[in-house]
């Protein structure tokens, strides 16, 4: 499960929170955590909206 | 000694000199995630991960053969270790023969000791692997004293340059717990195992930090955003990382804005590159109503920032 991130101005940031451990994953194609997130999206999942 | 004599000593011995070992942290000296880790599918010592799916223990031990300070003690069912070698460090390996060597001491259980080598089907894609040959049974009953074991893999396929994955495991009935120690892991070009490529500790740490870094009491500098939150805090990475890293906080970190102090325990958003990390965070404790500069200071809390760019 993942959740969108907001920056300090309330805008959606270019990263995603992994809810299992609260790690923040950057949108970098070579980052393997981001690759796992994209596979999760491909399965039809949607991240939770930012708080 | 005439120079010609030195040259003759190196002939026929590929990579006789430094950095012959493609394995990082083969001596089990670097454990940035902690020195006792129970897992069935995560990183243990730096660059090493367990892939059994069982909840096995991995402990840094000072029980080691002569010439080594540390080993990894593995306790559990089918306990294994795997290291992924980045494609950038495998470009010359296609068509080569490589030899894997390592030291093992078994203290409980009789499962076989095996080694296996895989290559990525595309560069650094460790989710799609092809095995090179088949599992090599190193020993059906590893010795109870420190013993060096070897396995040779001949004529690596063209795909070897895409990255390699070395797998060392105990395999048996699948239900028997074993206790064993592992260190001195080396993968080198050639048909024979040569002496372990001992590198300076700082060099070995920096090689690990390309993939994972931890900062206890990080020296971040930034600003508060006027509503009690850390608007942006940044700090340089200690070593350039493989990719922009995934970040996290383990524990509690202290901040100070010149007037008050507080803590953070989680990140809101990050802005990372291969050279630096920045983040926003909600203060877990402490308040400020000002747009003040802030520092992550050396307080009583011992939390850490982590940055991961693992393969």
């Amino acid at each position: 499960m993942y959740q969108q991130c907001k920056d300090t101005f309330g805008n959606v940031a270019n990263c995603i929170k992994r809810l299992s451990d609260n790690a923040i994953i950057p949108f970098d194609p070579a980052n393997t955590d981001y690759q796992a997130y994209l596979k999760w999206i491909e399965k039809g999942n949607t991240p939770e909206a930012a708080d | 000694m005439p120079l010609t004599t030195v040259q003759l000593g190196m002939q026929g011995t590929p990579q006789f000199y430094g950095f012959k070992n493609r394995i990082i942290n083969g001596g089990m000296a670097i454990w940035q995630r902690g020195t006792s880790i129970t897992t069935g599918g995560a990183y243990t010592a730096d660059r090493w991960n367990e892939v059994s799916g069982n909840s096995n223990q991995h402990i840094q031990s000072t029980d080691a053969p002569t010439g080594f300070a540390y080993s990894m003690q593995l306790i559990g069912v089918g306990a294994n270790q795997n290291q992924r070698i980045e494609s950038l460090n495998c470009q010359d390996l296609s068509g080569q023969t490589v030899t894997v060597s390592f030291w093992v001491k078994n203290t409980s259980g009789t499962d076989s000791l095996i080694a296996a080598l895989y290559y990525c089907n595309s560069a650094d894609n460790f989710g799609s692997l092809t095995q090179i040959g088949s599992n090599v049974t190193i020993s059906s009953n590893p010795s109870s004293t420190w013993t060096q074991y070897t396995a040779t893999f001949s004529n690596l396929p063209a795909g070897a340059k895409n990255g390699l994955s070395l797998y060392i495991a105990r395999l048996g009935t699948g239900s028997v717990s074993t206790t064993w120690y592992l260190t001195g892991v080396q993968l080198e070009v050639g048909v024979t195992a040569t002496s372990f490529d001992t590198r300076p500790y700082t060099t070995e740490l920096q090689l690990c930090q390309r993939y994972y870094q931890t900062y206890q009491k990080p020296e971040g500098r930034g600003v508060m955003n006027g509503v009690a939150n850390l608007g942006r805090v940044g700090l340089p990475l200690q070593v350039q990382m493989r990719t922009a890293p995934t970040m996290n906080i383990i524990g509690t970190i202290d901040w100070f804005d010149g007037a008050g102090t507080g803590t953070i325990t989680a990140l809101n958003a990050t802005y990372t590159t291969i050279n630096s990390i920045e983040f926003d965070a909600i203060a877990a404790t402490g308040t400020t109503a000002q747009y003040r500069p802030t520092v992550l200071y050396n307080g009583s809390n011992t939390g850490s920032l982590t940055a991961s760019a693992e393969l």
Side-chain angles (χ1 to χ4, degrees):
Chain A
M1 296 287 287
Y2 298 88
Q3 184 180 36
Q4 292 178 324
C5 299
K6 279 187 178 176
D7 65 19
T8 194
F9 303 108
N11 302 313
V12 174
N14 285 329
C15 52
I16 197 82
K17 178 185 286 187
R18 184 171 58 204
L19 294 175
S20 61
D21 62 356
N22 290 328
I24 308 293
I25 300 166
F27 289 170
D28 182 328
N31 182 299
T32 51
D33 295 319
Y34 180 58
Q35 292 168 4
Y37 167 69
L38 292 179
K39 286 185 178 177
W40 183 79
I41 292 291
E42 285 175 5
K43 292 177 180 176
N45 298 300
T46 304
E48 296 179 11
D51 290 331
Chain B
M1 179 184 296
L3 182 58
T4 51
T5 303
V6 176
Q7 289 172 330
L8 284 171
M10 291 182 171
Q11 283 182 349
T13 309
Q15 291 199 251
F16 182 78
Y17 37 86
F19 281 92
K20 63 185 176 185
N21 190 5
R22 307 306 169 96
I23 296 295
I24 297 172
N25 197 26
M28 307 298 177
I30 317 292
W31 294 64
Q32 292 187 83
R33 295 171 178 83
T35 55
S36 179
I37 296 173
T38 300
T39 183
Y43 280 86
T44 55
D46 274 60
R47 303 300 301 122
W48 292 101
N49 68 82
E50 162 83 45
V51 292
S52 71
N54 301 321
S55 186
N56 294 329
Q57 288 180 266
H58 312 79
I59 302 165
Q60 188 182 36
S61 171
T62 55
D63 187 340
T66 301
F68 295 92
Y70 300 103
S71 67
M72 178 187 292
Q73 183 187 33
L74 300 99
I75 306 170
V77 176
N80 62 59
Q81 285 297 286
N82 165 263
Q83 182 161 142
R84 295 170 170 178
I85 306 172
E86 188 176 0
S87 62
L88 289 173
N89 293 332
C90 296
Q91 289 300 301
D92 61 328
L93 296 184
S94 298
Q96 296 271 21
T97 293
V98 299
T99 295
V100 175
S101 57
F102 48 89
W103 290 82
V104 165
K105 173 182 172 180
N106 181 63
T107 58
S108 176
T110 57
D111 281 358
S112 296
L113 175 66
I114 70 105
L117 193 62
Y118 299 78
Y119 68 89
C120 297
N121 294 323
S122 58
D124 293 328
N125 180 3
F126 288 89
S128 177
L129 299 171
T130 298
Q131 186 167 10
I132 299 172
S134 55
N135 290 353
V136 177
T137 300
I138 304 287
S139 170
S140 59
N141 188 12
S143 174
S144 59
T145 59
W146 280 108
T147 303
Q148 188 182 34
Y149 297 99
T150 66
T152 297
F153 298 86
S154 301
N155 192 23
L156 299 191
K161 68 180 181 181
N162 291 330
L164 293 174
S165 181
L166 173 65
Y167 177 73
I168 300 171
R170 303 296 300 276
L171 291 181
T173 61
S175 59
V176 177
S177 180
T178 58
T179 300
W180 55 296
Y181 298 79
L182 173 68
T183 195
V185 186
Q186 180 154 284
L187 188 153
E188 62 189 302
V189 173
V191 297
T192 58
T194 64
S195 61
F196 185 73
D197 186 14
T198 301
R199 296 185 282 242
Y201 179 86
T202 302
T203 300
E204 204 73 45
L205 175 60
Q206 290 176 331
L207 291 172
C208 293
Q209 287 175 324
R210 174 171 171 78
Y211 306 93
Y212 186 85
Q213 299 182 22
T214 184
Y215 297 75
Q216 191 179 46
K217 299 189 174 190
E219 297 172 341
R221 303 292 184 260
V223 292
M224 307 300 289
N225 73 354
V227 289
N229 294 338
L230 282 72
R232 187 70 59 89
V233 173
L235 64 160
L237 288 163
Q238 298 164 102
V239 169
Q240 185 182 85
M241 299 195 80
R242 187 185 67 84
T243 71
T246 298
M247 286 184 61
N248 210 344
I249 290 180
I250 298 173
T252 300
I253 293 172
D254 293 299
W255 57 262
F256 173 55
D257 71 352
T261 62
T263 62
I264 54 172
T265 57
L267 303 172
N268 266 24
T270 63
Y271 315 87
T272 58
T273 73
I274 59 174
N275 292 309
S276 66
I277 51 181
E278 297 179 357
F279 63 85
D280 304 337
I282 296 174
T285 63
T287 59
T288 178
Q290 306 297 323
Y291 295 95
R292 294 177 181 275
T294 188
V295 299
L296 303 182
Y297 76 107
N298 186 4
S300 59
N301 288 301
T302 57
S304 300
L305 271 179
T306 65
S308 174
E310 291 288 2
L311 287 162

